Amino acid sequence: MEIISINDRPTKLASNNWFTGTVWQNNIIEAPSPARVRALLVSFEPGSRTAWHKHPLGQTLHIVHGTGLICVRNEKPKLMHMGDTVWVEPNEEHWHGATAANSMSHIAIQEALNGQVAEWLEHVSEEDYKN
């Protein structure tokens, strides 16, 4: 057993390579092999969002604060509210983030396949976001 101190997991600003706007990340767990689970607390300021991406083994999002949006490729964005849990199928192209008016935080849980948890694609256009 290992207790991982909060002091060993500082909050970091998410990379603008994969996010639009201001997004903060707190690592919860990156379990050592043979376990594959990865979990992050991700906090989106209003209007911020991920780029399009997909996960080889799927992703679970649990909304812990605010109101957000999630969108699967070729569909309209859907609202997510505090307390909601979303399952994203393996290799399903999607994005998620805050609404234009509200912040949103979620716990993102995914598993690594051959060390990879996500494949990042292009940024979400303003048209797709506002759709």
Side-chain angles (χ1 to χ4, degrees):
M1 179 180 76
E2 178 183 5
I3 296 174
I4 304 165
S5 170
I6 188 69
N7 296 323
D8 294 333
R9 298 173 290 150
T11 299
K12 66 179 188 175
L13 185 61
S15 171
N16 62 8
N17 291 331
W18 305 306
F19 295 86
T20 297
T22 303
V23 180
W24 298 98
Q25 297 176 316
N26 289 82
N27 189 35
I28 295 172
I29 187 69
E30 192 167 317
S33 183
R36 302 186 295 192
V37 70
R38 307 287 192 268
L40 295 163
L41 172 63
V42 187
S43 299
F44 297 82
E45 292 188 6
S48 61
R49 57 199 177 268
T50 69
W52 287 101
H53 63 287
K54 57 187 179 175
H55 302 274
L57 298 175
Q59 181 181 48
T60 300
L61 301 175
H62 182 74
I63 314 310
V64 295
H65 168 80
T67 303
L69 296 167
I70 185 161
C71 186
V72 172
R73 182 83 72 179
N74 300 317
E75 294 184 10
K76 289 191 176 273
K78 295 181 170 107
L79 284 172
M80 305 180 294
H81 302 281
M82 186 172 69
D84 290 350
T85 300
V86 179
W87 165 245
V88 179
E89 296 285 336
N91 294 309
E92 187 169 52
E93 292 183 9
H94 68 287
W95 62 265
H96 38 96
T99 64
N102 298 98
S103 62
M104 185 271 294
S105 298
H106 64 50
I107 296 173
I109 306 162
Q110 53 272 322
E111 292 181 284
L113 180 62
N114 300 321
Q116 181 183 5
V117 295
E119 179 181 342
W120 292 97
L121 307 167
E122 76 275 14
H123 280 271
V124 175
S125 69
E126 286 299 314
E127 180 182 332
D128 284 343
Y129 177 71
K130 292 177 180 176
N131 192 10

